[in-house]
Amino acid sequence: MLKRRYRLLKCLFVTIGVVFFLLLRLQQRCINSWKAAADKNRALFLLMNQWVYRKQEGKNLQIYFDKNNYKRIAIYGMGDVGLRLVKELEHSGIDIVYGIDRNAPNIQSDIRMVKPNDELDAVDTIIVALIGGFDEVFDVLSQKIDCPIIAIEDILNEI
């Protein structure tokens, strides 16, 4: 009888240990997910802050496009940054030929939307309006189209 109780207690403690371990792993995954979201939000804040600062200095993105003679562009990434870029260039004389996004069918925009694996029409440049992931996007797009592929951060740093 005592042996049986001992085995039951041992089994109970092992089970509790396993459950505790699994809960710790789940907690760590949640923490990592929240940290990644916080890092992305911070990067987005810093980008938008830099953009507003440039606007307050009387500068706008059209300066960059005019200087480099980019008249027909595409925008990769039609989230908040991409949509703000479309709005910024709305009456600038810059023709935004299309937007590129993996979620293209679900994005409401005044410009034509395509997916990255669709056929890409010729443009003067593609602006990557993403927070992070530029290198991966560059690798994919540079094999599909022959034009400069530029990160929005680089434009903001140059104007």
Side-chain angles (χ1 to χ4, degrees), residues 2 13 17 27 29 40 48 62-63 65 74 91 95 97 109 113 122 138 148 153:
L2 198 57
F13 284 130
Q27 180 185 30
R29 284 185 185 167
K40 184 175 180 178
M48 297 308 251
Q62 185 178 350
I63 295 168
F65 295 105
H91 301 291
D95 181 20
V97 181
S109 179
M113 296 299 305
F138 180 86
E153 294 98 334

Side-chain angles (χ1 to χ4, degrees), residues 60-73 94 123-127 147-152 154-159:
N60 62 44
L61 298 179
Q62 185 178 350
I63 295 168
Y64 177 84
F65 295 105
D66 290 344
K67 181 176 125 185
N68 291 289
N69 200 31
Y70 296 145
K71 302 292 183 202
R72 294 172 35 87
I73 70 167
I94 307 297
V123 290
D124 297 330
T125 186
I126 296 176
I127 308 306
C147 69
I149 301 166
I150 305 162
I152 185 78
D154 294 339
I155 295 172
L156 290 168
N157 288 331
E158 194 171 317
I159 62 171

